[in-house]
Amino acid sequence: MYSTYEFWRKKRDEKNMLTVLRHQVAQDTSLHLYIFFKFETLQKFSDMTRQHGCTLLWHWDFTDTPLGFLFQKPIIGLVEFDCSDPKSDPAGAFFQSFFTALESRVMVSDDPTFPDKAKPLLAYDYSPATFMGTEEEKPKTFNITDELMNVGALLTYRVEIYDQPVGKANYWMEFLCVNDSRDELY
């Protein structure tokens, strides 16, 4: 399965993990770094890709779905960073705003088909009410980290701010999940 690491990091040091991860991914041409984002408009994806040196692999617009009017951020998408390019800035893209970081997820994989496999999982995790399959195809129990690891993620990373202990108002809670069956990243 996978190991989960949880730790507090000062917000001023927020980019440390993704900067280190970017450098590790840049050293191995088989590894790819992806970030899943949620935005209000497709233009925000365009602006981000231009500013942070990444490529939008796919997006899904929920505005035209039956419950689309309920979503504050109706467009989701997966971007890929070429970590060998010095203009690539996954940490800057991930932490471009407080709310972007809290609703995004970083993934690393060496499987070239990973983005296609992750798309329905990320869409279902974001909006299970819009699932367009048969009752038999609908997941019974669903944990997005489990599902991403099963389709080829070597690690996932996200941040939260809930349950901050007293005196930790300037900290993120970071969650790093590493696929135990793959030890190349250690």
Side-chain angles (χ1 to χ4, degrees), residues 7-88:
F7 45 94
W8 292 101
R9 183 180 309 272
K10 290 183 180 182
K11 287 182 186 176
R12 71 172 189 258
D13 300 329
E14 65 190 11
K15 295 183 180 182
N16 288 1
M17 174 64 78
L18 293 183
T19 301
V20 169
L21 188 58
R22 177 187 176 275
H23 289 295
Q24 278 202 265
V25 170
Q27 294 176 22
D28 186 341
T29 57
S30 68
L31 295 177
H32 302 274
L33 189 141
Y34 308 97
I35 302 181
F36 173 71
F37 288 106
K38 304 168 191 170
F39 287 123
E40 299 87 9
T41 66
L42 194 54
Q43 182 63 42
K44 291 205 179 213
F45 278 103
S46 178
D47 295 344
M48 185 200 44
T49 58
R50 193 172 35 259
Q51 182 179 0
H52 297 286
C54 54
T55 304
L56 178 61
L57 297 179
W58 58 261
H59 72 279
W60 198 319
D61 188 343
F62 288 93
T63 55
D64 293 333
T65 60
L67 300 174
F69 66 93
L70 296 174
F71 295 109
Q72 290 180 2
K73 296 185 177 184
I75 302 175
I76 61 172
L78 188 68
V79 298
E80 180 177 14
F81 290 84
D82 177 2
C83 293
S84 63
D85 181 355
K87 295 178 183 172
S88 176

Coordinates of all heavy atoms in Angstrom, one line a residue, residues 7-88:
F7 N 3.0 16.3 8.8 CA 3.9 17.2 9.6 C 3.5 18.7 9.4 O 2.8 19.0 8.4 CB 5.3 17.0 9.2 CG 5.6 16.9 7.8 CD1 6.0 18.1 7.1 CD2 5.5 15.7 7.1 CE1 6.2 18.0 5.7 CE2 5.7 15.7 5.7 CZ 6.1 16.8 5.0
W8 N 3.8 19.5 10.4 CA 3.5 20.9 10.4 C 4.7 21.6 9.7 O 5.9 21.3 10.0 CB 3.3 21.5 11.8 CG 2.1 21.0 12.5 CD1 2.0 20.0 13.4 CD2 0.8 21.4 12.2 NE1 0.7 19.8 13.8 CE2 -0.1 20.7 13.1 CE3 0.2 22.4 11.4 CZ2 -1.4 20.9 13.1 CZ3 -1.2 22.6 11.5 CH2 -2.0 21.8 12.3
R9 N 4.4 22.6 8.9 CA 5.5 23.4 8.3 C 5.1 24.9 8.4 O 3.9 25.2 8.2 CB 5.8 23.1 6.9 CG 6.9 23.9 6.3 CD 7.2 23.5 4.9 NE 7.4 22.2 4.6 CZ 8.5 21.5 4.7 NH1 9.6 22.1 5.1 NH2 8.6 20.2 4.3
K10 N 6.0 25.8 8.8 CA 5.7 27.2 8.8 C 5.3 27.7 7.5 O 5.9 27.3 6.5 CB 6.9 28.0 9.3 CG 7.2 27.8 10.8 CD 8.3 28.6 11.3 CE 8.6 28.3 12.7 NZ 9.7 29.2 13.3
K11 N 4.3 28.5 7.4 CA 3.8 29.0 6.1 C 4.9 29.8 5.3 O 4.9 29.7 4.1 CB 2.6 29.9 6.3 CG 1.3 29.1 6.7 CD 0.1 30.0 6.8 CE -1.1 29.3 7.3 NZ -2.2 30.1 7.5
R12 N 5.8 30.4 6.0 CA 6.8 31.1 5.3 C 7.7 30.2 4.6 O 8.4 30.6 3.6 CB 7.6 32.0 6.2 CG 8.5 31.3 7.2 CD 9.4 32.3 8.0 NE 10.4 31.5 8.7 CZ 10.3 31.3 10.0 NH1 9.3 31.8 10.7 NH2 11.2 30.6 10.6
D13 N 7.8 28.9 5.0 CA 8.6 27.9 4.3 C 7.7 27.0 3.4 O 8.2 25.9 3.1 CB 9.3 27.0 5.4 CG 10.2 27.8 6.3 OD1 10.8 28.8 5.8 OD2 10.3 27.4 7.5
E14 N 6.6 27.4 3.0 CA 5.6 26.6 2.3 C 6.1 25.9 1.1 O 5.7 24.8 0.7 CB 4.4 27.4 2.0 CG 4.6 28.5 1.0 CD 3.4 29.5 0.9 OE1 2.5 29.4 1.7 OE2 3.5 30.3 0.0
K15 N 7.0 26.6 0.4 CA 7.5 26.0 -0.9 C 8.6 25.0 -0.8 O 9.0 24.4 -1.8 CB 7.9 27.2 -1.8 CG 6.8 28.1 -2.2 CD 7.3 29.1 -3.2 CE 6.1 30.0 -3.6 NZ 6.5 31.1 -4.5
N16 N 9.1 24.8 0.4 CA 10.3 23.9 0.6 C 10.0 22.5 0.0 O 10.8 21.9 -0.7 CB 10.7 23.8 2.0 CG 11.3 25.0 2.6 OD1 11.5 26.0 1.8 ND2 11.7 25.0 3.8
M17 N 8.9 21.8 0.4 CA 8.6 20.4 0.0 C 8.6 20.3 -1.6 O 9.2 19.4 -2.2 CB 7.4 19.9 0.6 CG 6.9 18.6 0.1 SD 8.1 17.2 0.5 CE 7.7 17.0 2.2
L18 N 7.8 21.2 -2.2 CA 7.7 21.1 -3.6 C 8.9 21.5 -4.4 O 9.2 21.0 -5.5 CB 6.5 22.0 -4.1 CG 5.1 21.4 -3.6 CD1 4.0 22.3 -4.2 CD2 5.0 20.0 -4.0
T19 N 9.7 22.4 -3.8 CA 11.0 22.7 -4.5 C 11.9 21.5 -4.5 O 12.6 21.2 -5.5 CB 11.7 23.9 -3.7 OG1 10.8 25.0 -3.8 CG2 13.0 24.3 -4.4
V20 N 12.0 20.8 -3.3 CA 12.8 19.6 -3.3 C 12.3 18.5 -4.2 O 13.1 17.9 -4.9 CB 12.9 19.1 -1.8 CG1 13.5 17.7 -1.7 CG2 13.7 20.1 -0.9
L21 N 11.0 18.4 -4.2 CA 10.4 17.4 -5.0 C 10.6 17.7 -6.5 O 10.9 16.8 -7.3 CB 8.9 17.3 -4.7 CG 8.1 16.2 -5.4 CD1 8.6 14.8 -5.0 CD2 6.6 16.3 -5.0
R22 N 10.5 18.9 -6.9 CA 10.8 19.3 -8.3 C 12.2 18.9 -8.7 O 12.4 18.4 -9.8 CB 10.6 20.8 -8.4 CG 10.9 21.3 -9.8 CD 10.9 22.9 -9.9 NE 11.3 23.4 -11.1 CZ 12.6 23.6 -11.5 NH1 13.5 23.4 -10.6 NH2 12.9 24.0 -12.7
H23 N 13.2 19.2 -7.8 CA 14.6 18.9 -8.1 C 14.8 17.4 -8.3 O 15.5 16.9 -9.1 CB 15.5 19.5 -7.1 CG 15.6 21.0 -7.2 ND1 16.1 21.6 -8.3 CD2 15.2 21.9 -6.4 CE1 16.1 22.9 -8.1 NE2 15.5 23.1 -7.0
Q24 N 14.1 16.6 -7.4 CA 14.2 15.1 -7.5 C 13.6 14.6 -8.8 O 14.2 13.7 -9.5 CB 13.6 14.5 -6.3 CG 14.4 14.4 -5.1 CD 14.0 13.3 -4.1 OE1 13.3 13.6 -3.2 NE2 14.5 12.1 -4.4
V25 N 12.5 15.1 -9.2 CA 11.8 14.7 -10.4 C 12.6 15.1 -11.6 O 12.7 14.3 -12.6 CB 10.4 15.3 -10.5 CG1 9.8 15.1 -11.9 CG2 9.5 14.7 -9.4
A26 N 13.3 16.2 -11.6 CA 14.1 16.7 -12.7 C 15.3 15.8 -12.9 O 15.8 15.7 -14.1 CB 14.6 18.1 -12.4
Q27 N 15.7 15.0 -11.9 CA 16.9 14.1 -12.1 C 16.5 12.8 -12.7 O 17.4 12.1 -13.1 CB 17.5 13.9 -10.7 CG 18.1 15.1 -10.1 CD 18.7 14.9 -8.7 OE1 19.0 13.8 -8.3 NE2 18.8 16.0 -8.0
D28 N 15.3 12.5 -12.8 CA 14.8 11.2 -13.4 C 13.8 11.5 -14.5 O 12.7 11.9 -14.3 CB 14.2 10.3 -12.3 CG 13.9 8.9 -12.8 OD1 13.8 8.7 -14.0 OD2 13.7 8.1 -12.0
T29 N 14.2 11.3 -15.8 CA 13.4 11.6 -16.9 C 12.1 10.8 -17.0 O 11.2 11.1 -17.7 CB 14.2 11.5 -18.3 OG1 14.6 10.1 -18.4 CG2 15.3 12.4 -18.3
S30 N 12.0 9.7 -16.3 CA 10.8 8.8 -16.3 C 9.7 9.4 -15.4 O 8.6 9.0 -15.5 CB 11.1 7.4 -16.0 OG 11.5 7.3 -14.6
L31 N 10.1 10.3 -14.4 CA 9.1 10.8 -13.5 C 8.5 12.1 -14.0 O 9.1 12.9 -14.8 CB 9.8 11.2 -12.2 CG 10.4 10.0 -11.4 CD1 11.1 10.5 -10.1 CD2 9.4 9.0 -11.0
H32 N 7.2 12.2 -13.7 CA 6.4 13.3 -14.1 C 5.7 13.9 -12.9 O 5.2 13.2 -12.0 CB 5.3 13.0 -15.1 CG 5.9 12.4 -16.4 ND1 6.4 13.1 -17.4 CD2 6.2 11.1 -16.7 CE1 6.9 12.3 -18.3 NE2 6.8 11.1 -17.9
L33 N 5.6 15.2 -12.7 CA 5.0 15.9 -11.6 C 3.7 16.6 -12.1 O 3.7 17.3 -13.1 CB 5.9 17.0 -11.0 CG 5.4 17.6 -9.7 CD1 6.6 17.7 -8.8 CD2 4.7 18.9 -10.0
Y34 N 2.6 16.2 -11.5 CA 1.3 16.8 -11.9 C 0.6 17.5 -10.7 O 0.9 17.1 -9.5 CB 0.3 15.6 -12.3 CG 0.9 14.7 -13.3 CD1 1.5 13.5 -12.9 CD2 0.8 15.0 -14.7 CE1 2.0 12.6 -13.9 CE2 1.3 14.1 -15.6 CZ 1.9 13.0 -15.2 OH 2.4 12.1 -16.2
I35 N -0.2 18.5 -11.0 CA -1.0 19.1 -9.9 C -2.4 19.2 -10.4 O -2.7 19.6 -11.5 CB -0.5 20.5 -9.5 CG1 1.0 20.4 -9.1 CG2 -1.3 21.1 -8.4 CD1 1.6 21.8 -8.6
F36 N -3.3 18.8 -9.5 CA -4.8 18.9 -9.8 C -5.3 20.2 -9.1 O -5.0 20.4 -8.0 CB -5.5 17.7 -9.1 CG -6.9 17.7 -9.1 CD1 -7.6 17.6 -10.3 CD2 -7.7 17.9 -8.0 CE1 -9.0 17.6 -10.4 CE2 -9.1 18.0 -8.0 CZ -9.7 17.8 -9.2
F37 N -5.9 21.0 -10.0 CA -6.4 22.3 -9.5 C -7.9 22.4 -9.7 O -8.5 21.7 -10.6 CB -5.8 23.4 -10.3 CG -4.3 23.7 -10.0 CD1 -3.4 23.3 -10.9 CD2 -4.0 24.3 -8.8 CE1 -2.0 23.6 -10.6 CE2 -2.6 24.6 -8.6 CZ -1.7 24.2 -9.5
K38 N -8.5 23.3 -9.0 CA -9.9 23.7 -9.1 C -10.0 25.2 -9.3 O -9.4 26.0 -8.5 CB -10.7 23.3 -7.9 CG -10.7 21.9 -7.5 CD -11.2 21.6 -6.1 CE -10.9 20.2 -5.7 NZ -11.2 20.0 -4.3
F39 N -10.6 25.7 -10.3 CA -10.7 27.2 -10.6 C -12.1 27.6 -11.0 O -12.9 26.8 -11.4 CB -9.7 27.6 -11.6 CG -8.3 27.6 -11.2 CD1 -7.3 26.9 -11.9 CD2 -7.8 28.3 -10.1 CE1 -6.0 26.9 -11.5 CE2 -6.5 28.3 -9.7 CZ -5.6 27.6 -10.4
E40 N -12.4 28.9 -10.9 CA -13.6 29.4 -11.3 C -13.8 29.5 -12.8 O -14.9 29.4 -13.4 CB -13.8 30.9 -10.7 CG -13.8 30.9 -9.2 CD -12.4 31.1 -8.7 OE1 -11.5 31.3 -9.4 OE2 -12.3 31.0 -7.5
T41 N -12.7 29.8 -13.5 CA -12.7 29.9 -15.0 C -11.6 29.2 -15.6 O -10.5 29.0 -15.0 CB -12.6 31.4 -15.4 OG1 -11.3 31.9 -15.0 CG2 -13.7 32.3 -14.7
L42 N -11.7 28.9 -16.9 CA -10.7 28.3 -17.7 C -9.5 29.3 -17.9 O -8.4 28.9 -18.0 CB -11.2 27.8 -19.0 CG -10.3 26.9 -19.8 CD1 -9.9 25.7 -19.0 CD2 -11.0 26.4 -21.1
Q43 N -9.8 30.6 -17.9 CA -8.8 31.6 -18.0 C -7.7 31.5 -16.9 O -6.6 31.7 -17.1 CB -9.4 33.0 -18.0 CG -8.4 34.1 -18.2 CD -7.7 34.1 -19.6 OE1 -8.3 33.8 -20.6 NE2 -6.4 34.3 -19.6
K44 N -8.2 31.1 -15.7 CA -7.2 31.0 -14.6 C -6.2 29.9 -14.9 O -5.0 30.0 -14.5 CB -7.9 30.7 -13.3 CG -8.7 31.9 -12.8 CD -8.9 31.9 -11.3 CE -9.7 33.2 -11.0 NZ -9.3 33.7 -9.7
F45 N -6.6 28.8 -15.6 CA -5.7 27.8 -16.0 C -4.7 28.3 -17.0 O -3.5 28.1 -16.9 CB -6.4 26.6 -16.6 CG -7.0 25.6 -15.6 CD1 -8.3 25.6 -15.2 CD2 -6.2 24.7 -14.9 CE1 -8.9 24.7 -14.3 CE2 -6.7 23.8 -14.0 CZ -8.0 23.8 -13.7
S46 N -5.2 29.1 -17.9 CA -4.4 29.7 -19.0 C -3.3 30.6 -18.3 O -2.1 30.5 -18.7 CB -5.2 30.4 -20.0 OG -4.4 31.0 -20.9
D47 N -3.8 31.4 -17.4 CA -2.8 32.4 -16.8 C -1.8 31.6 -16.0 O -0.6 31.9 -16.0 CB -3.6 33.3 -15.8 CG -4.5 34.2 -16.6 OD1 -4.4 34.4 -17.8 OD2 -5.4 34.8 -15.9
M48 N -2.2 30.6 -15.3 CA -1.3 29.8 -14.5 C -0.2 29.1 -15.3 O 0.9 29.1 -15.0 CB -2.0 28.8 -13.6 CG -1.1 28.1 -12.6 SD -1.7 26.6 -12.0 CE -2.4 25.8 -13.4
T49 N -0.7 28.4 -16.4 CA 0.3 27.7 -17.3 C 1.3 28.7 -17.9 O 2.5 28.3 -18.0 CB -0.4 26.9 -18.4 OG1 -1.2 27.8 -19.2 CG2 -1.3 25.8 -17.8
R50 N 0.9 29.8 -18.2 CA 1.8 30.8 -18.8 C 2.8 31.3 -17.7 O 4.0 31.4 -17.9 CB 1.0 32.0 -19.4 CG 1.8 32.9 -20.3 CD 0.9 33.9 -21.0 NE -0.2 34.4 -20.3 CZ -1.5 34.0 -20.5 NH1 -1.7 33.1 -21.4 NH2 -2.5 34.5 -19.8
Q51 N 2.3 31.6 -16.5 CA 3.1 32.2 -15.5 C 4.0 31.2 -14.8 O 5.2 31.5 -14.4 CB 2.2 32.8 -14.4 CG 2.9 33.5 -13.3 CD 2.0 34.1 -12.3 OE1 0.8 34.0 -12.4 NE2 2.5 34.7 -11.2
H52 N 3.6 29.9 -14.7 CA 4.4 28.9 -13.9 C 5.0 27.8 -14.7 O 5.6 26.9 -14.2 CB 3.6 28.3 -12.8 CG 3.1 29.4 -11.8 ND1 4.0 29.9 -10.9 CD2 1.9 30.0 -11.6 CE1 3.3 30.8 -10.1 NE2 2.1 30.9 -10.6
G53 N 5.0 27.9 -16.1 CA 5.7 27.0 -16.9 C 5.2 25.6 -16.9 O 6.0 24.7 -16.6
C54 N 3.9 25.4 -17.1 CA 3.3 24.1 -17.0 C 2.4 23.9 -18.2 O 2.1 24.8 -19.0 CB 2.6 23.8 -15.7 SG 1.3 25.0 -15.3
T55 N 1.9 22.7 -18.4 CA 1.0 22.4 -19.5 C -0.3 21.8 -18.9 O -0.3 20.9 -18.1 CB 1.6 21.3 -20.4 OG1 2.9 21.8 -20.8 CG2 0.7 21.0 -21.6
L56 N -1.5 22.3 -19.4 CA -2.8 21.8 -19.0 C -3.0 20.5 -19.8 O -3.1 20.6 -21.0 CB -3.9 22.8 -19.3 CG -5.3 22.4 -19.0 CD1 -5.5 22.1 -17.5 CD2 -6.3 23.5 -19.4
L57 N -3.1 19.4 -19.1 CA -3.3 18.1 -19.8 C -4.8 17.9 -20.1 O -5.1 17.3 -21.2 CB -2.8 17.0 -19.0 CG -1.3 17.0 -18.7 CD1 -0.9 15.8 -17.8 CD2 -0.5 17.0 -20.0
W58 N -5.6 18.2 -19.2 CA -7.1 18.1 -19.4 C -7.8 18.9 -18.4 O -7.2 19.3 -17.4 CB -7.6 16.6 -19.3 CG -7.3 15.9 -18.0 CD1 -6.3 15.0 -17.7 CD2 -8.0 16.0 -16.8 NE1 -6.3 14.6 -16.4 CE2 -7.4 15.2 -15.8 CE3 -9.2 16.7 -16.4 CZ2 -7.9 15.0 -14.5 CZ3 -9.6 16.6 -15.1 CH2 -9.0 15.7 -14.2
H59 N -9.0 19.3 -18.7 CA -9.9 20.0 -17.8 C -11.3 19.5 -17.9 O -11.6 18.9 -18.9 CB -9.8 21.5 -18.0 CG -10.5 22.0 -19.2 ND1 -9.9 21.9 -20.5 CD2 -11.8 22.5 -19.4 CE1 -10.8 22.3 -21.4 NE2 -11.9 22.7 -20.8
W60 N -12.1 19.7 -16.9 CA -13.5 19.2 -16.9 C -14.3 20.4 -16.4 O -14.0 20.9 -15.3 CB -13.6 18.0 -16.0 CG -14.8 17.2 -16.2 CD1 -16.1 17.7 -16.4 CD2 -14.9 15.8 -16.2 NE1 -17.0 16.6 -16.5 CE2 -16.3 15.5 -16.4 CE3 -14.0 14.8 -16.0 CZ2 -16.7 14.1 -16.4 CZ3 -14.5 13.5 -16.0 CH2 -15.8 13.2 -16.2
D61 N -15.2 20.8 -17.2 CA -16.1 22.0 -16.8 C -17.4 21.4 -16.4 O -18.2 20.8 -17.1 CB -16.3 22.8 -18.1 CG -17.0 24.1 -17.8 OD1 -17.6 24.3 -16.7 OD2 -16.9 25.1 -18.6
F62 N -17.8 21.7 -15.1 CA -19.0 21.2 -14.5 C -20.1 22.3 -14.6 O -21.2 22.0 -14.1 CB -18.8 20.9 -13.0 CG -18.0 19.6 -12.8 CD1 -16.6 19.6 -12.7 CD2 -18.6 18.4 -12.8 CE1 -15.9 18.5 -12.5 CE2 -17.9 17.2 -12.6 CZ -16.6 17.3 -12.5
T63 N -19.9 23.4 -15.3 CA -20.9 24.4 -15.3 C -22.2 24.0 -16.0 O -23.3 24.5 -15.8 CB -20.4 25.7 -16.0 OG1 -19.9 25.4 -17.3 CG2 -19.3 26.4 -15.1
D64 N -22.1 23.1 -17.0 CA -23.2 22.6 -17.8 C -23.8 21.3 -17.2 O -24.7 20.8 -17.9 CB -22.8 22.4 -19.2 CG -22.5 23.7 -19.9 OD1 -23.0 24.8 -19.5 OD2 -21.7 23.7 -20.9
T65 N -23.4 20.9 -16.1 CA -24.0 19.7 -15.5 C -25.2 20.0 -14.7 O -25.4 21.2 -14.4 CB -23.0 18.9 -14.6 OG1 -22.6 19.8 -13.5 CG2 -21.7 18.5 -15.4
P66 N -26.1 19.1 -14.4 CA -27.3 19.4 -13.7 C -27.1 20.2 -12.4 O -27.9 21.0 -12.1 CB -28.0 18.1 -13.5 CG -27.5 17.2 -14.5 CD -26.1 17.7 -14.8
L67 N -26.1 19.9 -11.7 CA -25.8 20.6 -10.4 C -24.7 21.6 -10.5 O -24.1 22.0 -9.5 CB -25.5 19.5 -9.3 CG -26.6 18.5 -9.1 CD1 -26.2 17.5 -8.1 CD2 -27.9 19.2 -8.6
G68 N -24.3 21.9 -11.7 CA -23.1 22.8 -11.9 C -23.2 24.1 -11.3 O -22.2 24.7 -10.8
F69 N -24.4 24.7 -11.1 CA -24.6 26.0 -10.5 C -24.2 26.0 -9.0 O -24.0 27.0 -8.4 CB -26.1 26.4 -10.7 CG -27.1 25.6 -9.9 CD1 -27.5 26.0 -8.7 CD2 -27.6 24.5 -10.5 CE1 -28.4 25.2 -8.0 CE2 -28.5 23.7 -9.8 CZ -28.9 24.0 -8.6
L70 N -24.1 24.8 -8.4 CA -23.7 24.7 -7.0 C -22.2 24.9 -6.7 O -21.8 25.1 -5.6 CB -24.2 23.4 -6.4 CG -25.7 23.1 -6.4 CD1 -26.0 21.7 -5.9 CD2 -26.4 24.2 -5.5
F71 N -21.4 24.7 -7.8 CA -20.0 24.7 -7.6 C -19.4 26.1 -7.6 O -19.7 26.9 -8.5 CB -19.3 23.9 -8.7 CG -19.6 22.4 -8.7 CD1 -20.4 21.9 -9.7 CD2 -19.1 21.6 -7.8 CE1 -20.7 20.6 -9.7 CE2 -19.4 20.3 -7.8 CZ -20.2 19.7 -8.8
Q72 N -18.7 26.4 -6.6 CA -18.0 27.7 -6.5 C -16.8 27.7 -7.5 O -16.5 28.7 -8.1 CB -17.5 28.0 -5.1 CG -18.6 28.3 -4.2 CD -18.0 28.7 -2.8 OE1 -16.8 28.7 -2.6 NE2 -18.9 28.9 -1.8
K73 N -16.2 26.6 -7.7 CA -15.1 26.4 -8.6 C -15.5 25.2 -9.6 O -15.1 24.1 -9.3 CB -13.8 26.1 -7.9 CG -13.4 27.3 -7.0 CD -12.1 27.1 -6.4 CE -11.7 28.3 -5.6 NZ -10.4 28.2 -5.0
P74 N -16.2 25.6 -10.6 CA -16.7 24.5 -11.5 C -15.8 23.9 -12.5 O -16.1 22.9 -13.2 CB -17.9 25.2 -12.2 CG -17.4 26.6 -12.3 CD -16.6 26.9 -11.1
I75 N -14.6 24.3 -12.6 CA -13.6 23.8 -13.6 C -12.4 23.2 -12.8 O -11.8 23.8 -12.0 CB -13.1 24.9 -14.6 CG1 -14.4 25.5 -15.3 CG2 -12.2 24.3 -15.6 CD1 -14.1 26.6 -16.2
I76 N -12.2 21.9 -13.1 CA -11.1 21.2 -12.5 C -10.1 20.8 -13.7 O -10.5 20.8 -14.8 CB -11.5 19.9 -11.8 CG1 -12.2 18.9 -12.7 CG2 -12.4 20.2 -10.6 CD1 -12.5 17.5 -12.1
G77 N -8.9 20.6 -13.3 CA -7.9 20.3 -14.4 C -6.6 19.7 -13.8 O -6.3 19.9 -12.6
L78 N -5.9 19.0 -14.7 CA -4.6 18.4 -14.3 C -3.5 19.1 -15.2 O -3.7 19.1 -16.4 CB -4.6 16.9 -14.5 CG -3.4 16.2 -14.0 CD1 -3.4 16.2 -12.5 CD2 -3.4 14.7 -14.5
V79 N -2.5 19.6 -14.5 CA -1.4 20.2 -15.2 C -0.1 19.4 -15.0 O 0.0 18.7 -13.9 CB -1.2 21.7 -14.8 CG1 -2.4 22.5 -15.2 CG2 -0.9 21.8 -13.4
E80 N 0.8 19.4 -15.9 CA 2.0 18.7 -15.8 C 3.2 19.8 -15.9 O 3.1 20.7 -16.7 CB 2.2 17.7 -16.9 CG 3.5 17.0 -16.8 CD 3.7 15.9 -17.9 OE1 2.9 15.9 -18.9 OE2 4.6 15.1 -17.8
F81 N 4.2 19.5 -15.1 CA 5.3 20.4 -15.0 C 6.6 19.7 -15.6 O 6.8 18.6 -15.2 CB 5.6 20.9 -13.6 CG 4.6 21.8 -13.0 CD1 3.5 21.3 -12.5 CD2 4.8 23.2 -13.1 CE1 2.5 22.2 -12.0 CE2 3.8 24.0 -12.6 CZ 2.7 23.5 -12.0
D82 N 7.3 20.3 -16.5 CA 8.5 19.8 -17.0 C 9.6 20.3 -16.0 O 10.1 21.4 -16.1 CB 8.8 20.4 -18.4 CG 10.2 19.9 -18.9 OD1 10.9 19.2 -18.2 OD2 10.5 20.3 -20.0
C83 N 9.9 19.5 -15.0 CA 10.8 19.9 -13.9 C 12.2 20.2 -14.4 O 13.0 20.8 -13.6 CB 10.8 18.9 -12.8 SG 9.1 18.8 -12.0
S84 N 12.6 19.7 -15.5 CA 14.0 20.0 -16.0 C 14.0 21.4 -16.6 O 15.1 21.9 -16.8 CB 14.4 19.0 -17.1 OG 13.5 19.1 -18.2
D85 N 12.9 22.0 -16.9 CA 12.9 23.4 -17.4 C 13.0 24.4 -16.2 O 12.2 24.4 -15.3 CB 11.5 23.7 -18.1 CG 11.4 25.0 -18.7 OD1 12.3 25.9 -18.5 OD2 10.4 25.3 -19.4
P86 N 14.0 25.3 -16.2 CA 14.2 26.2 -15.1 C 13.0 27.2 -14.9 O 12.8 27.7 -13.8 CB 15.5 27.0 -15.4 CG 15.9 26.5 -16.7 CD 15.0 25.4 -17.2
K87 N 12.2 27.3 -15.9 CA 11.0 28.2 -15.8 C 9.8 27.6 -15.2 O 8.9 28.2 -14.8 CB 10.6 28.8 -17.2 CG 11.7 29.6 -17.8 CD 11.3 30.1 -19.2 CE 12.4 30.9 -19.8 NZ 12.1 31.2 -21.2
S88 N 9.9 26.3 -15.0 CA 8.8 25.5 -14.4 C 8.8 25.8 -12.9 O 9.8 25.7 -12.2 CB 9.1 24.0 -14.6 OG 8.1 23.2 -14.0

